[in-house]
Amino acid sequence: MMTQSVNQGSSTKRHLSIGIIGLGGVAQAHLQAFELLTDFTLVSVCDVRADVAETVARQFSAKAYTDYGELLDAGGVDLVMVLTPASTHRLIVTAVATRGFHVFCEKPLAVTLEDGVAIVEACKHANIKLFYGSCYRYLPAIVKAKHLIQSGAI
């Protein structure tokens, strides 16, 4: 993997090379964040819409793909972000894990329990980290629901 150390003062930080699969609506928030962050480099992007992939690739000086398998085969990434529709997560995250890349998967992780279990098991088996994007977990209604479930009220 391409991870390199970045020396900032007395501490050493990791500089991560990122690949993104799926450039739809949710990707826009992530792309905006990449414009502000210095510890990450977006090196490859993939979308089934070639024009979208090319536009984003030009914006970030990244490589564009329309086939995520080609992005994975090219390597050169430390983390792959899967920002595709949930119905595709199992297939794509499993492919990412099989190739040994850490993966960030946008919510929902899966559309079925079976798919969710398969995703987690694939990542465990490949000994890679699975990050799950869930910005809802701190919303008051979600916190309350969690409390109700844990207390046995539900």
Side-chain angles (χ1 to χ4, degrees), residues 58-75:
R58 273 193 304 278
Q59 180 183 354
F60 288 90
S61 300
K63 176 88 172 123
Y65 297 90
T66 56
D67 179 332
Y68 70 86
E70 290 178 9
L71 180 150
L72 298 174
D73 289 343

Side-chain angles (χ1 to χ4, degrees), residues 18 20 22-37 40 42 56 59-60 81 83 104 106-107 133 135-136:
I18 308 292
I20 293 181
L23 297 170
V26 72
Q28 299 315 305
H30 294 283
L31 292 171
Q32 288 174 2
F34 282 121
E35 291 177 337
L36 304 173
L37 300 172
F40 303 90
L42 185 58
V56 173
Q59 180 183 354
F60 288 90
M81 299 181 73
L83 310 179
F104 171 95
E106 187 57 70
K107 68 181 177 310
C135 62
Y136 294 128

Side-chain angles (χ1 to χ4, degrees), residues 34-117:
F34 282 121
E35 291 177 337
L36 304 173
L37 300 172
T38 59
D39 295 335
F40 303 90
T41 301
L42 185 58
V43 296
S44 56
V45 296
C46 178
D47 198 273
V48 293
R49 300 163 297 162
D51 59 323
V52 173
E54 289 293 338
T55 298
V56 173
R58 273 193 304 278
Q59 180 183 354
F60 288 90
S61 300
K63 176 88 172 123
Y65 297 90
T66 56
D67 179 332
Y68 70 86
E70 290 178 9
L71 180 150
L72 298 174
D73 289 343
V77 295
D78 300 304
L79 174 73
V80 175
M81 299 181 73
V82 178
L83 310 179
T84 58
S87 61
T88 67
H89 288 176
R90 180 178 181 174
L91 181 65
I92 296 172
V93 171
T94 300
V96 173
T98 300
R99 286 178 172 87
F101 299 114
H102 299 298
V103 61
F104 171 95
C105 186
E106 187 57 70
K107 68 181 177 310
L109 182 65
V111 293
T112 67
L113 178 60
E114 179 184 343
D115 284 353
V117 169

